[in-house]
Amino acid sequence: MNASRNRAQDSQHIFARNLGHWLNERGITQSDLARRLGKGPPVVSQWLHERSGPDLATLGKIAKILAVPIVELFRDDEKRSGARTKLTSRAGCIN
């Protein structure tokens, strides 16, 4: 049970880091993504802060908006570990 929880937390961390990376790469703000998904900005903020994650249907929409395969949102690429830090300096991307 504990290993399962750790994998879920790892996946959530990887998703948040990659979402931040791709938002930054595409010049899309948190508010822009939320609007395009028909959600409020707090929902996207929760994803970026690893408090929750999107459902499968929303994942597909996110990938389409960012023009990346869904697998890119879960790639464990440590080179992207600084993406979240860079995003915090861009106004409107992370609350």
Side-chain angles (χ1 to χ4, degrees):
M1 177 101 168
N2 212 10
S4 172
R5 175 179 248 174
N6 287 338
R7 279 193 300 274
Q9 289 172 336
D10 288 347
S11 292
Q12 200 166 18
H13 173 75
I14 291 165
F15 172 76
R17 185 179 67 217
N18 288 336
L19 178 60
H21 167 80
W22 287 110
L23 286 172
N24 190 45
E25 280 289 309
R26 301 294 190 240
I28 298 172
T29 66
Q30 173 181 316
S31 295
D32 291 337
L33 180 63
R35 181 183 46 77
R36 291 171 75 175
L37 293 171
K39 301 195 179 291
V43 172
V44 177
S45 178
Q46 289 178 354
W47 299 339
L48 289 166
H49 288 96
E50 303 174 33
R51 293 187 193 118
S52 69
D55 59 34
L56 288 175
T58 303
L59 263 176
K61 292 176 186 176
I62 292 168
K64 188 172 184 175
I65 290 167
L66 297 174
V68 298
I70 290 174
V71 70
E72 279 297 313
L73 297 172
F74 291 95
R75 180 189 291 213
D76 189 7
D77 185 350
E78 287 302 315
K79 291 185 286 188
R80 293 190 188 145
S81 63
R84 191 163 184 203
T85 304
K86 290 177 191 170
L87 252 178
T88 58
S89 65
R90 287 194 57 197
C93 288
I94 294 181
N95 292 336

